[in-house]
Amino acid sequence: MEKIFYTRTGKMALGSRLRMLSSLFTEEAEKIYEQNRIPVRAKWFPVFYMLSQNEEKTITEIAQEIGHSQPSVSRIIREMTAKGLITENKKSGDKRQNRVALSAKGKTLVPRVLEQCADVHNAVEELIREATHDLWEAIEEWEFLLEQQPLSRRVLQQKKIRESSQVRIVNYEPKYKTVFRTLNEAWISQYFEMEAADIRALNHPDKYILNKGGHILVALYEEQPVGVCALIKMDDPDYDYEMAKMAVAPEAQGKNIGKLLADAIIHKAKVLGASRLYLESNTRLKAAINLYYKLGFKKLNNRPSPYKRANIQMALDL
Amino acid sequence: MEKIFYTRTGKMALGSRLRMLSSLFTEEAEKIYEQNRIPVRAKWFPVFYMLSQNEEKTITEIAQEIGHSQPSVSRIIREMTAKGLITENKKSGDKRQNRVALSAKGKTLVPRVLEQCADVHNAVEELIREATHDLWEAIEEWEFLLEQQPLSRRVLQQKKIRESSQVRIVNYEPKYKTVFRTLNEAWISQYFEMEAADIRALNHPDKYILNKGGHILVALYEEQPVGVCALIKMDDPDYDYEMAKMAVAPEAQGKNIGKLLADAIIHKAKVLGASRLYLESNTRLKAAINLYYKLGFKKLNNRPSPYKRANIQMALDL
DNA sequence: TATATTTGCATAACCAGTTATGTAATTAAG
DNA sequence: CTTAATTACATAACTGGTTATGCAAATATA
């Protein structure tokens, strides 16, 4: 492969580089058996090795132990049988099983294969010593890291980071009045029903939110308003503000906008000197509840609410 | 794959680990396209990327640039065409060529694919930062090291090292008389013809070699004599000894025995206080001549020889 | 004890690549 | 200017793996 291609596509090429390196190894392995005149195919090795550990085994056992699929082992056994390395069907009780073992001819090859195996081991170890970056350790580590969190998840996170950087949170202006109403109407009427308190607040945000000492923030993605959230002054002496009326346009979801809005609202509350935030929601809104937990909100016990849909209430100490 | 299997077979499993890791990447790549709703197969990426660099290209050009075989690109282009991403056959002069380019539909996907490509790049870079062993660098280094000397060569060297350690060089004893004769007869009559001087020396090594102040060393492999070499006292004031009658049994060749014998002979000569060694040979014996050069012997100009087959003469200053 | 489920494995079909092959178009050589 | 060699590419066949499928044997369940 052209080196140029790698450097131009960046780390995206890691997959194909791995493929190339692994196919190089496969080819070389085949050559090694040839040069030692061992009549065993390189790809038989795992099966051969398991059987060299003297006991007879079933196809499925071998497959599990070497991490191949059962049909793959099935075929390798067929090929090895054709070359006379395997005695098949040493039937035990279970007639479904194909208990296989190395034939006499197969057994005579064992020491040579194991010697060669040791040579390969040493050659690889020497390569590792020669290199400054330990490929073996690196693979082990990557297997672990990718098991912790698969590449696809990691890429998704990168996407969110990238898209977050294209989001701007701005203060409410009269031109966002419609957006504030429609975005909220959308999710409320999708999951629940619009209530009197909703209609009041959404139709007259100045009167019911802003003029009472509240605030509204708007999220812009590519300069278009796609999310809103309100910080409403409360009368309750225990709480300073309520975080409410958070809505993100469906087409802009998955871009971390909810989180960015909430962060901005919390920051705003702190700047305003608040020490405790309140919110109410409904457990059907899984993603939202999840976000609130991540922000540090804690569930609290019933407090009267003007909304029928509220079945969970949470608070955050700033 | 069972972790146990790795640890038991040692570094031999490197190939299959690489294969597993690379197939993991392939699967994840497919998922990533899916989760971003990009209607492009992961395996199309290299081709797509090349074409996104705006110019139209021929199949073969693409294949060379991305390092795939031509039929592989041919098929990818067919698949992409079926999905309407490619406009084919933008015919230039050469009617054999299939000049392809992204269609309008294909072009609309370019920014999304490139964005995703950047996300993958960043995700991998973060993984590299997270890991202590740099997989990317390791692969690069291994590609280089294996290009310098392929794995099969390295394994061969390991084999030689292992077998060398099973070789013992011992002094001649009367019981090795037959071996000394037959091993030498074998190669002489295979390549040339036995001459009078050969027959004398091989039948009466005591009289013609040992009693004249010469020595014979024997190489044992698994306690069997498989190689011989003689150090013959010379009359010539310019040279102390001649290294001659070196022979290794065909079945024991490739185990570095020739080298070990020669080293031992040279060492013996030094111990005996010699300062210059002489040998004669024939250029048809490529492997032998090669060995002599490696030992430091230098070609010299004609000196009379009792042997017809001698067409090259060499000397080594100790 | 009859029936449903599970298991072991062979076989088939698929996959993403490869090498080998055939053919038409082009270029080089006589 | 004809013939030979080369080139571009599609197609076929192979490779080393996979998943899907089907069947018979064994086990669990009613």
Side-chain angles (χ1 to χ4, degrees), chain A residues 103-155:
Chain A
S103 68
K105 184 178 167 192
K107 278 178 191 155
T108 63
L109 293 173
V110 170
R112 292 169 61 198
V113 170
L114 293 186
E115 270 177 356
Q116 181 185 276
C117 187
D119 290 343
V120 172
H121 181 87
N122 292 332
V124 171
E125 291 233 301
E126 203 178 286
L127 262 162
I128 289 174
R129 276 195 296 276
E130 231 174 288
T132 52
H133 300 276
D134 189 331
L135 182 60
W136 182 262
E137 291 289 336
I139 291 175
E140 188 139 318
E141 208 174 8
W142 280 64
E143 281 170 348
F144 173 78
L145 288 171
L146 292 174
E147 204 184 331
Q148 296 289 301
Q149 190 164 46
L151 187 63
S152 48
R153 278 285 293 278
R154 293 168 186 267
V155 171

Short mmCIF file of all heavy atoms in Angstrom, two decimals, chain A residues 103-155:
data_model
loop_
_atom_site.label_atom_id
_atom_site.label_comp_id
_atom_site.label_asym_id
_atom_site.label_seq_id
_atom_site.Cartn_x
_atom_site.Cartn_y
_atom_site.Cartn_z
N SER A 103 -3.12 -39.13 14.71
CA SER A 103 -2.76 -40.49 14.31
C SER A 103 -1.29 -40.71 14.65
O SER A 103 -0.59 -39.78 15.07
CB SER A 103 -2.95 -40.66 12.81
OG SER A 103 -2.00 -39.86 12.14
N ALA A 104 -0.82 -41.94 14.46
CA ALA A 104 0.60 -42.23 14.72
C ALA A 104 1.47 -41.29 13.89
O ALA A 104 2.40 -40.66 14.39
CB ALA A 104 0.90 -43.68 14.37
N LYS A 105 1.10 -41.14 12.61
CA LYS A 105 1.86 -40.25 11.72
C LYS A 105 1.84 -38.83 12.26
O LYS A 105 2.87 -38.15 12.27
CB LYS A 105 1.23 -40.29 10.32
CG LYS A 105 1.99 -39.49 9.29
CD LYS A 105 1.35 -39.62 7.91
CE LYS A 105 1.89 -38.58 6.96
NZ LYS A 105 1.11 -38.49 5.71
N GLY A 106 0.66 -38.41 12.72
CA GLY A 106 0.55 -37.07 13.29
C GLY A 106 1.46 -36.91 14.50
O GLY A 106 2.14 -35.90 14.65
N LYS A 107 1.49 -37.93 15.34
CA LYS A 107 2.28 -37.83 16.56
C LYS A 107 3.76 -37.69 16.28
O LYS A 107 4.48 -37.02 17.01
CB LYS A 107 2.01 -39.04 17.45
CG LYS A 107 0.74 -38.89 18.27
CD LYS A 107 0.47 -40.12 19.11
CE LYS A 107 -0.93 -40.06 19.71
NZ LYS A 107 -1.46 -41.40 20.01
N THR A 108 4.21 -38.35 15.20
CA THR A 108 5.65 -38.26 14.90
C THR A 108 6.05 -36.83 14.57
O THR A 108 7.21 -36.45 14.72
CB THR A 108 6.04 -39.15 13.71
OG1 THR A 108 5.35 -38.69 12.55
CG2 THR A 108 5.69 -40.60 13.96
N LEU A 109 5.06 -36.02 14.10
CA LEU A 109 5.39 -34.65 13.73
C LEU A 109 5.45 -33.72 14.94
O LEU A 109 6.01 -32.62 14.86
CB LEU A 109 4.37 -34.11 12.73
CG LEU A 109 4.38 -34.79 11.35
CD1 LEU A 109 3.22 -34.29 10.52
CD2 LEU A 109 5.70 -34.51 10.65
N VAL A 110 4.86 -34.17 16.04
CA VAL A 110 4.73 -33.27 17.20
C VAL A 110 6.05 -32.61 17.60
O VAL A 110 6.12 -31.38 17.67
CB VAL A 110 4.08 -33.99 18.40
CG1 VAL A 110 4.16 -33.15 19.65
CG2 VAL A 110 2.63 -34.32 18.07
N PRO A 111 7.11 -33.39 17.84
CA PRO A 111 8.33 -32.71 18.31
C PRO A 111 8.84 -31.67 17.33
O PRO A 111 9.25 -30.58 17.73
CB PRO A 111 9.33 -33.85 18.48
CG PRO A 111 8.72 -35.05 17.86
CD PRO A 111 7.26 -34.84 17.79
N ARG A 112 8.75 -31.97 16.01
CA ARG A 112 9.25 -31.00 15.04
C ARG A 112 8.41 -29.73 15.06
O ARG A 112 8.94 -28.62 14.98
CB ARG A 112 9.26 -31.62 13.64
CG ARG A 112 10.30 -32.74 13.52
CD ARG A 112 10.15 -33.52 12.25
NE ARG A 112 10.33 -32.69 11.06
CZ ARG A 112 9.93 -33.05 9.85
NH1 ARG A 112 9.33 -34.22 9.67
NH2 ARG A 112 10.14 -32.26 8.83
N VAL A 113 7.09 -29.90 15.16
CA VAL A 113 6.23 -28.72 15.19
C VAL A 113 6.51 -27.89 16.44
O VAL A 113 6.59 -26.66 16.38
CB VAL A 113 4.73 -29.12 15.12
CG1 VAL A 113 3.85 -27.92 15.38
CG2 VAL A 113 4.42 -29.73 13.77
N LEU A 114 6.68 -28.57 17.56
CA LEU A 114 6.91 -27.83 18.80
C LEU A 114 8.26 -27.12 18.78
O LEU A 114 8.38 -25.98 19.24
CB LEU A 114 6.80 -28.76 20.00
CG LEU A 114 5.39 -29.31 20.24
CD1 LEU A 114 5.33 -30.11 21.53
CD2 LEU A 114 4.34 -28.20 20.26
N GLU A 115 9.26 -27.78 18.21
CA GLU A 115 10.56 -27.12 18.07
C GLU A 115 10.42 -25.87 17.23
O GLU A 115 10.93 -24.80 17.58
CB GLU A 115 11.55 -28.05 17.37
CG GLU A 115 12.33 -28.93 18.32
CD GLU A 115 13.25 -29.89 17.57
OE1 GLU A 115 13.22 -29.92 16.32
OE2 GLU A 115 14.00 -30.62 18.24
N GLN A 116 9.73 -26.01 16.11
CA GLN A 116 9.54 -24.87 15.22
C GLN A 116 8.78 -23.75 15.93
O GLN A 116 9.09 -22.57 15.79
CB GLN A 116 8.78 -25.30 13.97
CG GLN A 116 8.58 -24.17 13.02
CD GLN A 116 7.73 -24.58 11.85
OE1 GLN A 116 8.19 -25.14 10.90
NE2 GLN A 116 6.44 -24.31 11.95
N CYS A 117 7.79 -24.17 16.71
CA CYS A 117 7.00 -23.22 17.48
C CYS A 117 7.91 -22.42 18.40
O CYS A 117 7.79 -21.19 18.52
CB CYS A 117 5.95 -24.01 18.25
SG CYS A 117 4.75 -23.02 19.11
N ALA A 118 8.85 -23.11 19.03
CA ALA A 118 9.78 -22.43 19.92
C ALA A 118 10.66 -21.46 19.13
O ALA A 118 10.95 -20.35 19.59
CB ALA A 118 10.64 -23.46 20.65
N ASP A 119 11.08 -21.88 17.93
CA ASP A 119 11.91 -21.00 17.10
C ASP A 119 11.14 -19.73 16.75
O ASP A 119 11.69 -18.63 16.81
CB ASP A 119 12.30 -21.70 15.79
CG ASP A 119 13.29 -22.83 16.03
OD1 ASP A 119 13.91 -22.85 17.11
OD2 ASP A 119 13.43 -23.69 15.14
N VAL A 120 9.86 -19.88 16.38
CA VAL A 120 9.06 -18.71 16.04
C VAL A 120 8.94 -17.81 17.26
O VAL A 120 9.14 -16.60 17.18
CB VAL A 120 7.65 -19.12 15.56
CG1 VAL A 120 6.76 -17.91 15.41
CG2 VAL A 120 7.74 -19.88 14.25
N HIS A 121 8.65 -18.44 18.38
CA HIS A 121 8.56 -17.67 19.63
C HIS A 121 9.82 -16.85 19.85
O HIS A 121 9.75 -15.64 20.10
CB HIS A 121 8.34 -18.65 20.79
CG HIS A 121 8.21 -18.00 22.12
ND1 HIS A 121 7.00 -17.55 22.60
CD2 HIS A 121 9.12 -17.69 23.07
CE1 HIS A 121 7.18 -17.01 23.79
NE2 HIS A 121 8.47 -17.08 24.09
N ASN A 122 10.97 -17.49 19.71
CA ASN A 122 12.22 -16.77 19.94
C ASN A 122 12.44 -15.68 18.91
O ASN A 122 12.91 -14.59 19.25
CB ASN A 122 13.39 -17.75 19.94
CG ASN A 122 13.34 -18.68 21.13
OD1 ASN A 122 12.82 -18.31 22.18
ND2 ASN A 122 13.86 -19.88 20.98
N ALA A 123 12.10 -15.97 17.65
CA ALA A 123 12.29 -14.96 16.61
C ALA A 123 11.44 -13.74 16.92
O ALA A 123 11.89 -12.60 16.79
CB ALA A 123 11.92 -15.54 15.25
N VAL A 124 10.18 -13.98 17.35
CA VAL A 124 9.30 -12.86 17.66
C VAL A 124 9.81 -12.10 18.88
O VAL A 124 9.83 -10.87 18.90
CB VAL A 124 7.85 -13.35 17.88
CG1 VAL A 124 6.98 -12.24 18.42
CG2 VAL A 124 7.27 -13.89 16.58
N GLU A 125 10.28 -12.85 19.86
CA GLU A 125 10.81 -12.17 21.05
C GLU A 125 12.00 -11.30 20.68
O GLU A 125 12.16 -10.21 21.21
CB GLU A 125 11.23 -13.21 22.09
CG GLU A 125 10.04 -13.94 22.68
CD GLU A 125 10.02 -13.90 24.18
OE1 GLU A 125 10.99 -14.37 24.78
OE2 GLU A 125 9.03 -13.38 24.73
N GLU A 126 12.82 -11.80 19.76
CA GLU A 126 13.97 -11.00 19.37
C GLU A 126 13.52 -9.75 18.64
O GLU A 126 14.05 -8.66 18.84
CB GLU A 126 14.92 -11.82 18.51
CG GLU A 126 16.31 -11.25 18.58
CD GLU A 126 17.29 -12.06 17.77
OE1 GLU A 126 17.64 -13.15 18.24
OE2 GLU A 126 17.67 -11.61 16.68
N LEU A 127 12.50 -9.93 17.79
CA LEU A 127 11.94 -8.76 17.10
C LEU A 127 11.45 -7.74 18.12
O LEU A 127 11.65 -6.54 17.96
CB LEU A 127 10.77 -9.20 16.22
CG LEU A 127 11.11 -9.40 14.75
CD1 LEU A 127 10.06 -10.24 14.07
CD2 LEU A 127 11.20 -8.04 14.07
N ILE A 128 10.77 -8.23 19.15
CA ILE A 128 10.25 -7.33 20.17
C ILE A 128 11.40 -6.57 20.83
O ILE A 128 11.31 -5.37 21.06
CB ILE A 128 9.42 -8.11 21.21
CG1 ILE A 128 8.10 -8.57 20.58
CG2 ILE A 128 9.16 -7.26 22.44
CD1 ILE A 128 7.27 -9.49 21.46
N ARG A 129 12.49 -7.30 21.09
CA ARG A 129 13.64 -6.63 21.71
C ARG A 129 14.24 -5.60 20.76
O ARG A 129 14.68 -4.53 21.19
CB ARG A 129 14.71 -7.66 22.08
CG ARG A 129 14.45 -8.33 23.43
CD ARG A 129 15.70 -9.07 23.91
NE ARG A 129 16.06 -10.16 23.01
CZ ARG A 129 15.53 -11.39 23.06
NH1 ARG A 129 14.60 -11.67 23.95
NH2 ARG A 129 15.93 -12.32 22.23
N GLU A 130 14.24 -5.95 19.48
CA GLU A 130 14.83 -5.05 18.49
C GLU A 130 14.02 -3.77 18.34
O GLU A 130 14.55 -2.70 18.08
CB GLU A 130 14.87 -5.78 17.14
CG GLU A 130 16.19 -5.77 16.45
CD GLU A 130 16.13 -6.64 15.21
OE1 GLU A 130 16.07 -7.89 15.31
OE2 GLU A 130 16.11 -6.06 14.11
N ALA A 131 12.70 -3.92 18.49
CA ALA A 131 11.81 -2.77 18.28
C ALA A 131 11.71 -1.93 19.54
O ALA A 131 11.92 -2.43 20.65
CB ALA A 131 10.43 -3.27 17.87
N THR A 132 11.42 -0.65 19.37
CA THR A 132 11.26 0.18 20.55
C THR A 132 9.81 0.14 21.05
O THR A 132 9.55 0.40 22.20
CB THR A 132 11.66 1.64 20.28
OG1 THR A 132 10.96 2.07 19.11
CG2 THR A 132 13.15 1.75 20.03
N HIS A 133 8.87 -0.18 20.14
CA HIS A 133 7.47 -0.26 20.55
C HIS A 133 7.06 -1.73 20.56
O HIS A 133 7.21 -2.42 19.56
CB HIS A 133 6.58 0.51 19.58
CG HIS A 133 6.93 1.96 19.52
ND1 HIS A 133 6.45 2.87 20.42
CD2 HIS A 133 7.73 2.64 18.68
CE1 HIS A 133 6.94 4.05 20.13
NE2 HIS A 133 7.72 3.95 19.08
N ASP A 134 6.54 -2.18 21.68
CA ASP A 134 6.24 -3.59 21.84
C ASP A 134 4.87 -3.92 21.24
O ASP A 134 3.84 -3.66 21.83
CB ASP A 134 6.28 -3.93 23.33
CG ASP A 134 6.18 -5.42 23.56
OD1 ASP A 134 5.56 -6.11 22.74
OD2 ASP A 134 6.72 -5.89 24.57
N LEU A 135 4.90 -4.53 20.05
CA LEU A 135 3.65 -4.84 19.35
C LEU A 135 2.78 -5.78 20.17
O LEU A 135 1.57 -5.60 20.26
CB LEU A 135 3.97 -5.49 17.99
CG LEU A 135 2.78 -5.83 17.10
CD1 LEU A 135 1.99 -4.58 16.76
CD2 LEU A 135 3.24 -6.51 15.82
N TRP A 136 3.39 -6.77 20.77
CA TRP A 136 2.64 -7.77 21.54
C TRP A 136 1.87 -7.10 22.69
O TRP A 136 0.68 -7.29 22.84
CB TRP A 136 3.63 -8.80 22.07
CG TRP A 136 3.01 -9.92 22.84
CD1 TRP A 136 2.93 -10.01 24.20
CD2 TRP A 136 2.41 -11.10 22.31
NE1 TRP A 136 2.31 -11.19 24.55
CE2 TRP A 136 1.98 -11.87 23.42
CE3 TRP A 136 2.19 -11.60 21.03
CZ2 TRP A 136 1.36 -13.11 23.26
CZ3 TRP A 136 1.55 -12.81 20.88
CH2 TRP A 136 1.14 -13.55 21.98
N GLU A 137 2.61 -6.29 23.44
CA GLU A 137 1.97 -5.60 24.56
C GLU A 137 0.90 -4.65 24.05
O GLU A 137 -0.17 -4.50 24.65
CB GLU A 137 3.00 -4.81 25.37
CG GLU A 137 3.98 -5.68 26.13
CD GLU A 137 3.32 -6.39 27.31
OE1 GLU A 137 2.30 -5.90 27.80
OE2 GLU A 137 3.84 -7.45 27.72
N ALA A 138 1.22 -3.97 22.95
CA ALA A 138 0.27 -3.00 22.39
C ALA A 138 -1.04 -3.69 22.03
O ALA A 138 -2.12 -3.20 22.35
CB ALA A 138 0.87 -2.32 21.17
N ILE A 139 -0.95 -4.86 21.40
CA ILE A 139 -2.16 -5.57 21.01
C ILE A 139 -2.96 -5.93 22.25
O ILE A 139 -4.17 -5.72 22.32
CB ILE A 139 -1.81 -6.84 20.21
CG1 ILE A 139 -1.25 -6.45 18.84
CG2 ILE A 139 -3.03 -7.72 20.04
CD1 ILE A 139 -0.77 -7.62 18.04
N GLU A 140 -2.25 -6.45 23.24
CA GLU A 140 -2.93 -6.84 24.48
C GLU A 140 -3.69 -5.65 25.07
O GLU A 140 -4.85 -5.76 25.45
CB GLU A 140 -1.88 -7.34 25.47
CG GLU A 140 -2.49 -7.94 26.70
CD GLU A 140 -1.72 -9.18 27.13
OE1 GLU A 140 -1.36 -9.97 26.24
OE2 GLU A 140 -1.48 -9.33 28.34
N GLU A 141 -2.99 -4.54 25.10
CA GLU A 141 -3.58 -3.35 25.69
C GLU A 141 -4.80 -2.88 24.90
O GLU A 141 -5.84 -2.52 25.46
CB GLU A 141 -2.52 -2.27 25.70
CG GLU A 141 -2.67 -1.27 26.80
CD GLU A 141 -1.49 -0.32 26.82
OE1 GLU A 141 -0.66 -0.36 25.89
OE2 GLU A 141 -1.41 0.47 27.75
N TRP A 142 -4.67 -2.90 23.59
CA TRP A 142 -5.78 -2.44 22.75
C TRP A 142 -6.97 -3.36 22.87
O TRP A 142 -8.11 -2.91 22.88
CB TRP A 142 -5.33 -2.29 21.30
CG TRP A 142 -4.60 -1.01 21.08
CD1 TRP A 142 -3.42 -0.64 21.66
CD2 TRP A 142 -5.01 0.10 20.27
NE1 TRP A 142 -3.08 0.62 21.24
CE2 TRP A 142 -4.03 1.09 20.39
CE3 TRP A 142 -6.11 0.33 19.45
CZ2 TRP A 142 -4.12 2.31 19.73
CZ3 TRP A 142 -6.19 1.53 18.78
CH2 TRP A 142 -5.20 2.51 18.93
N GLU A 143 -6.71 -4.65 22.94
CA GLU A 143 -7.83 -5.59 23.13
C GLU A 143 -8.59 -5.19 24.40
O GLU A 143 -9.81 -5.15 24.41
CB GLU A 143 -7.29 -7.01 23.29
CG GLU A 143 -6.91 -7.68 21.99
CD GLU A 143 -6.17 -8.99 22.21
OE1 GLU A 143 -5.76 -9.28 23.36
OE2 GLU A 143 -5.97 -9.73 21.23
N PHE A 144 -7.83 -4.89 25.43
CA PHE A 144 -8.44 -4.52 26.70
C PHE A 144 -9.22 -3.21 26.57
O PHE A 144 -10.39 -3.12 26.92
CB PHE A 144 -7.36 -4.39 27.77
CG PHE A 144 -7.87 -3.85 29.08
CD1 PHE A 144 -8.56 -4.68 29.96
CD2 PHE A 144 -7.67 -2.52 29.43
CE1 PHE A 144 -9.02 -4.19 31.16
CE2 PHE A 144 -8.14 -2.02 30.63
CZ PHE A 144 -8.83 -2.86 31.49
N LEU A 145 -8.56 -2.19 26.01
CA LEU A 145 -9.20 -0.88 25.91
C LEU A 145 -10.46 -0.94 25.05
O LEU A 145 -11.46 -0.31 25.37
CB LEU A 145 -8.22 0.14 25.32
CG LEU A 145 -7.09 0.57 26.25
CD1 LEU A 145 -6.07 1.40 25.50
CD2 LEU A 145 -7.65 1.36 27.43
N LEU A 146 -10.40 -1.72 23.98
CA LEU A 146 -11.56 -1.78 23.09
C LEU A 146 -12.68 -2.61 23.70
O LEU A 146 -13.84 -2.46 23.32
CB LEU A 146 -11.16 -2.33 21.72
CG LEU A 146 -10.26 -1.39 20.94
CD1 LEU A 146 -9.77 -2.04 19.66
CD2 LEU A 146 -11.00 -0.09 20.61
N GLU A 147 -12.31 -3.48 24.63
CA GLU A 147 -13.35 -4.23 25.31
C GLU A 147 -14.05 -3.30 26.30
O GLU A 147 -15.28 -3.34 26.45
CB GLU A 147 -12.74 -5.42 26.05
CG GLU A 147 -13.72 -6.53 26.30
CD GLU A 147 -13.08 -7.65 27.11
OE1 GLU A 147 -11.84 -7.82 26.99
OE2 GLU A 147 -13.79 -8.32 27.86
N GLN A 148 -13.27 -2.46 26.96
CA GLN A 148 -13.83 -1.47 27.88
C GLN A 148 -14.84 -0.60 27.16
O GLN A 148 -15.92 -0.35 27.64
CB GLN A 148 -12.71 -0.56 28.41
CG GLN A 148 -11.67 -1.25 29.23
CD GLN A 148 -12.22 -1.68 30.56
OE1 GLN A 148 -12.67 -0.86 31.33
NE2 GLN A 148 -12.22 -2.98 30.83
N GLN A 149 -14.45 -0.11 26.00
CA GLN A 149 -15.32 0.77 25.24
C GLN A 149 -14.98 0.59 23.77
O GLN A 149 -13.86 0.89 23.35
CB GLN A 149 -15.08 2.22 25.66
CG GLN A 149 -16.11 3.15 25.10
CD GLN A 149 -16.10 4.47 25.82
OE1 GLN A 149 -15.05 5.05 26.07
NE2 GLN A 149 -17.27 4.98 26.15
N PRO A 150 -15.94 0.10 22.99
CA PRO A 150 -15.63 -0.21 21.59
C PRO A 150 -15.32 1.06 20.80
O PRO A 150 -15.72 2.17 21.18
CB PRO A 150 -16.91 -0.86 21.09
CG PRO A 150 -17.97 -0.43 22.02
CD PRO A 150 -17.31 -0.22 23.35
N LEU A 151 -14.63 0.86 19.71
CA LEU A 151 -14.22 1.99 18.88
C LEU A 151 -15.43 2.82 18.46
O LEU A 151 -15.37 4.05 18.44
CB LEU A 151 -13.48 1.48 17.65
CG LEU A 151 -12.84 2.55 16.79
CD1 LEU A 151 -11.79 3.31 17.56
CD2 LEU A 151 -12.25 1.95 15.54
N SER A 152 -16.55 2.14 18.13
CA SER A 152 -17.70 2.89 17.64
C SER A 152 -18.19 3.89 18.70
O SER A 152 -18.55 5.02 18.36
CB SER A 152 -18.83 1.92 17.24
OG SER A 152 -19.04 0.96 18.25
N ARG A 153 -18.17 3.49 19.96
CA ARG A 153 -18.55 4.41 21.03
C ARG A 153 -17.60 5.59 21.10
O ARG A 153 -18.00 6.76 21.25
CB ARG A 153 -18.53 3.70 22.40
CG ARG A 153 -19.76 2.90 22.72
CD ARG A 153 -20.95 3.79 23.10
NE ARG A 153 -20.78 4.52 24.35
CZ ARG A 153 -21.00 4.01 25.55
NH1 ARG A 153 -21.40 2.77 25.69
NH2 ARG A 153 -20.82 4.75 26.63
N ARG A 154 -16.32 5.28 20.97
CA ARG A 154 -15.32 6.33 21.07
C ARG A 154 -15.47 7.33 19.94
O ARG A 154 -15.27 8.53 20.11
CB ARG A 154 -13.92 5.73 21.04
CG ARG A 154 -13.62 4.90 22.28
CD ARG A 154 -12.36 4.07 22.13
NE ARG A 154 -12.20 3.19 23.27
CZ ARG A 154 -11.50 3.49 24.36
NH1 ARG A 154 -10.89 4.65 24.44
NH2 ARG A 154 -11.41 2.63 25.35
N VAL A 155 -15.80 6.83 18.78
CA VAL A 155 -15.97 7.72 17.63
C VAL A 155 -17.19 8.61 17.85
O VAL A 155 -17.18 9.80 17.54
CB VAL A 155 -16.10 6.91 16.32
CG1 VAL A 155 -16.50 7.81 15.17
CG2 VAL A 155 -14.79 6.21 16.01
#
